[in-house]
Amino acid sequence: MRSIKHFFEQSWLLIAASFFFGLLIAATNAALSDRIEMNKVTKLTSLAKGLLPQAEKFAPVKEKIEIEAFDGKPEVAAVYEAIADGNTVGWTFKATGSGFADKIELVVAVDKDFETLAGFDVLLSNETPGYGDQIKESYFRNQFAGAPAASLSLASMGNLEKIDEEIVAISGATVSSTGVVETINHYVAKIKEQFQKKGLIGNGNES
Amino acid sequence: MATNPDGQVSLYKDTLFAGLWRENPVFRLLLGMCPTLAVTAAVKPALTMGCCVIFVLVCSNIMVSLMRDLLKPHLRILMFTLTIATFVTIADLFLKAFQPRMSEALGPYVPLIIVNCIIICRAEACASKHPVLLSIVDALGMGAGFTLTLCVLAGVREVLATGKIFEIQVMPNAFVPVAALGMPVGAFLTLGFLLGLINLISKKRS
Amino acid sequence: MDTVYILITGFISVVLINNLVLTKFLGICPYLGVSGRIDMAFGMGLAVTFVMTLSGTLTWMIDHFLLMPLGLEVARYVCFILVIASAVQLVEMYLRKFFPPLYDSFGIFLPLITTNCAILGLCLFLNLWGVNSLIEAVVLSFGGGIGFTMAICIMAGIRENLQMVDVPECLQGAPITLITAGILSLAFMGFAGMI
């Protein structure tokens, strides 16, 4: 008994403080968690709005789209439907891949049939400033707007203005450019496959 | 203890300004280097980090000062750590809610405020021995000194690395930015040279 | 084979490419303070490796088996720092009782390690990098410690040589160490893109 009493004598402040702090953290969390969740969604949709300006709102896709991420691990894709006047005008999703320095997170937008890319924007990247960082620049990103959503290929030199499946890499930033192209290819292919399976888009070979 | 009102005011003033120059936590006491190097690539993250540190310092100093008569000596550090961790969690939640881009830019360095030597040292050296008001003043002084240091370092790095401050172009177009200063190299080099400069200045003064 | 590949690349990544000291700025305080002599640096490095592997594993397990299933992520930082502090305390008591000579050689380092940003930083990075398997967490934690040891030993070697050179007075001590660290991190940047 004495040792328990001794224990409480020594540590009552610690226990009381833990309770008090726990309550403080829980209260702050309860007050702010909604806002934090909304911030995450707003970021993706605001970037997507830049890519699909005709969309009025973005709604998360109701079905769970499970695909294989870039490193082979299963992932639930965050796909949103772009809606205008009650019709689907496109789809947008988050794609994660690896670049030169760290991972790259992109927002990719495609048209409603998953045939052409509407473009991409960078959510998160840590690439070398002046080199890999240029994946955020419009001259690189504009090559993707209107490109076919099939396998894009990377070329070291070419016509920046011509919109086709050939993307001209950023000079001095081959790894970052490759990272972007491969990530987009991977996610477009996987999500399109899942969408066709679930019947959200046509198969393309219906007669 | 003498309750000379003039003495009290000058004590507060002295404590406040100590943190800014004489006992500047980064340049003189060499504490809290990790966030100094990590977030000073641009002025905006540096300012945000400085404000977070001020918040945590003030709150934890108040709490520790209120508890100072109840602390058991061998559980002291644990209590300090618990207090600081709580306020850092709260600061992080606020940052995620109201400044999500800054929260992402600062990343894991916000929770690293918990192990920032400055806060624990101030709790140990000052707040656990002095009344609440003096602890608050000390916290404000140290926090202001830390924020000032971060902003100076970030200002130098951002201007030389990108020619902008707060994303506003400051340098003329003919200026060729030194991108290396935005990277870890630049962090170490800038802090090292700045420390050397401070040593030179204080030696010239004395 | 795939797992082994991921483990090896993860290990190399944490030791060389994302070295905790030279690219992520973790553990700078002990790095500056203890890198004076190679034997002290090595001792500190070993102590950090030991504690890092232990805490990395423990915090990963608590994160994945307790905090995430119960939705208590908000208590993450408090839990992590308490686990780290307790782990260091336990290690210290255990060493003092059963391996006194080892305890004496670690000396002052062990209690200092709790406030070492590197330990908490690594636990948080394990979370940030989305590490999903226990073995990967163990390997990455161990790698983090090895990276720290390597960086601090290199620095100690350079500093021992610097003592024989004419460093300007205002740059002696911390400034020249930081400048050396800067050049080291420049060198380590060459490893980027390796895997």
Side-chain angles (χ1 to χ4, degrees):
Chain A
M1 263 338 276
R2 256 191 57 193
S3 59
I4 296 189
K5 186 158 174 260
H6 180 77
F7 172 73
F8 273 112
E9 247 176 38
Q10 294 292 310
S11 59
W12 71 270
L13 184 65
L14 194 60
I15 299 177
S18 312
F19 267 116
F20 174 60
F21 291 141
L23 278 175
L24 209 59
I25 296 181
T28 320
N29 190 33
L32 295 175
S33 59
D34 285 333
R35 216 191 143 114
I36 296 178
E37 278 308 312
M38 239 183 54
N39 280 338
K40 291 191 199 157
V41 172
T42 313
K43 182 162 187 202
L44 192 126
T45 49
S46 67
L47 282 178
K49 186 87 168 54
L51 301 169
L52 290 168
Q54 68 271 37
E56 282 167 1
K57 64 178 169 90
F58 293 91
V61 158
K62 290 181 227 36
E63 289 88 354
K64 203 163 140 186
I65 310 285
E66 274 178 10
I67 57 166
E68 197 184 286
F70 217 51
D71 48 11
K73 298 187 189 139
E75 179 192 327
V76 177
V79 190
Y80 292 80
E81 188 183 342
I83 304 175
D85 290 332
N87 294 327
T88 313
V89 292
W91 310 90
T92 175
F93 52 90
K94 183 170 106 157
T96 314
S98 60
F100 182 71
D102 213 343
K103 68 175 178 178
I104 300 183
E105 273 179 25
L106 308 168
V107 173
V108 186
V110 295
D111 73 331
K112 62 177 167 33
D113 298 314
F114 252 93
E115 293 296 323
T116 17
L117 289 177
F120 81 91
D121 214 333
V122 179
L123 267 177
L124 189 77
S125 82
N126 232 344
E127 304 299 291
T128 319
Y131 294 99
D133 216 23
Q134 305 226 355
I135 53 173
K136 298 180 187 162
E137 298 291 322
S138 42
Y139 81 83
F140 180 67
R141 286 174 38 223
N142 283 344
Q143 297 179 80
F144 290 80
S151 294
L152 299 168
S153 65
L154 200 67
S156 46
M157 296 219 289
N159 191 349
L160 276 169
E161 308 290 327
K162 185 149 170 266
I163 308 285
D164 56 3
E165 74 259 359
E166 194 183 83
I167 304 289
V168 180
I170 299 173
S171 123
T174 318
V175 180
S176 308
S177 316
T178 319
V180 168
V181 168
E182 281 185 0
T183 309
I184 294 182
N185 280 345
H186 178 93
Y187 273 78
V188 166
K190 294 276 176 204
I191 296 184
K192 186 172 181 178
E193 191 186 314
Q194 287 293 317
F195 264 37
Q196 281 170 341
K197 267 197 204 157
K198 298 195 193 265
L200 288 161
I201 55 172
N203 263 344
N205 47 6
E206 295 167 328
S207 51
Chain B
M1 200 165 77
T3 44
N4 177 5
D6 276 344
Q8 292 278 50
V9 169
S10 72
L11 177 64
Y12 288 145
K13 252 177 44 179
D14 196 47
T15 321
L16 189 67
F17 287 118
L20 284 172
W21 175 262
R22 194 168 32 91
E23 283 182 10
N24 186 302
V26 178
F27 286 145
R28 304 247 109 211
L29 305 178
L30 296 181
L31 300 172
M33 296 244 156
C34 307
T36 313
L37 292 164
V39 309
T40 46
V43 179
K44 201 159 170 210
L47 202 57
T48 316
M49 172 64 96
C51 293
C52 288
V53 169
I54 293 182
F55 170 71
V56 175
L57 251 181
V58 170
C59 292
S60 86
N61 265 17
I62 294 179
M63 202 78 318
V64 169
S65 185
L66 286 174
M67 291 194 298
R68 72 183 183 281
D69 295 323
L70 305 167
L71 288 172
K72 301 280 180 296
H74 47 275
L75 289 180
R76 224 172 56 243
I77 303 280
L78 195 57
M79 282 303 304
F80 294 159
T81 316
L82 190 61
T83 319
I84 297 172
T86 308
F87 287 115
V88 169
T89 312
I90 294 180
D92 187 50
L93 283 173
F94 269 100
L95 206 62
K96 280 203 191 111
F98 294 108
Q99 289 280 342
R101 270 171 312 133
M102 274 295 114
S103 173
E104 261 177 43
L106 290 177
Y109 294 102
V110 175
L112 281 179
I113 299 178
I114 302 177
V115 284
N116 191 329
C117 319
I118 299 180
I119 310 191
I120 273 211
C121 281
R122 291 335 282 172
E124 166 83 26
C126 181
S128 59
K129 302 188 175 100
H130 290 118
V132 179
L133 200 56
L134 192 62
S135 307
I136 298 182
V137 172
D138 178 74
L140 285 174
M142 284 283 153
F146 184 68
T147 311
L148 195 68
T149 314
L150 283 188
C151 289
V152 165
L153 204 61
V156 170
R157 281 181 72 191
E158 193 177 2
V159 167
L160 291 178
T162 59
K164 308 179 188 168
I165 289 195
F166 256 116
E167 288 150 31
I168 308 173
Q169 193 77 19
V170 201
M171 300 290 273
N173 279 350
F175 177 70
V176 179
V178 185
L181 279 176
M183 292 193 272
V185 193
F188 285 114
L189 288 177
T190 320
L191 186 61
F193 279 116
L194 264 177
L195 270 175
L197 192 67
I198 304 264
N199 282 350
L200 196 64
I201 296 180
S202 12
K203 220 161 18 85
K204 286 253 165 78
R205 271 191 173 189
S206 64
Chain C
M1 264 296 106
D2 220 12
T3 332
V4 178
Y5 176 72
I6 293 183
L7 289 180
I8 295 183
T9 48
F11 184 74
I12 296 182
S13 147
V14 153
V15 172
L16 291 178
I17 304 172
N18 287 321
N19 187 298
L20 289 187
V21 182
L22 298 172
T23 53
K24 304 276 182 215
F25 310 110
L26 299 177
I28 299 289
C29 299
Y31 189 69
L32 293 182
V34 181
S35 51
R37 287 166 29 201
I38 290 196
D39 49 357
M40 269 173 44
F42 192 59
M44 179 66 157
L46 282 187
V48 167
T49 309
F50 182 52
V51 176
M52 208 182 258
T53 317
L54 189 66
S55 349
T57 323
L58 275 179
T59 50
W60 186 91
M61 287 200 294
I62 292 188
D63 200 18
H64 271 247
F65 298 139
L66 199 65
L67 292 180
M68 297 221 276
L70 293 178
L72 287 174
E73 281 105 348
V74 72
R76 183 177 280 142
Y77 306 148
V78 180
C79 277
F80 278 15
I81 191 66
L82 288 180
V83 166
I84 293 173
S86 325
V88 172
Q89 194 77 356
L90 282 174
V91 163
E92 204 184 336
M93 290 198 310
Y94 183 74
L95 279 186
R96 185 155 48 175
K97 185 128 193 251
F98 293 113
F99 297 106
L102 191 60
Y103 176 75
D104 285 328
S105 64
F106 272 156
I108 188 74
F109 299 152
L110 272 191
L112 228 60
I113 292 179
T114 316
T115 55
N116 185 342
C117 337
I119 312 278
L120 184 62
L122 180 88
C123 300
L124 293 170
F125 274 119
L126 282 182
N127 183 32
L128 208 68
W129 288 333
V131 173
N132 276 330
S133 69
L134 180 62
I135 186 84
E136 207 179 330
V138 175
V139 167
L140 286 179
S141 318
F142 183 64
I146 297 287
F148 179 85
T149 312
M150 200 173 75
I152 206 175
C153 288
I154 297 179
M155 176 63 89
I158 297 180
R159 276 184 88 172
E160 280 190 359
N161 282 352
L162 271 180
Q163 280 170 357
M164 298 182 248
V165 178
D166 197 17
V167 180
E169 200 182 328
C170 64
L171 285 181
Q172 274 171 8
I176 196 68
T177 314
L178 283 169
I179 295 175
T180 318
I183 301 182
L184 266 181
S185 85
L186 191 63
F188 268 68
M189 246 172 69
F191 288 120
M194 201 167 97
I195 46 170

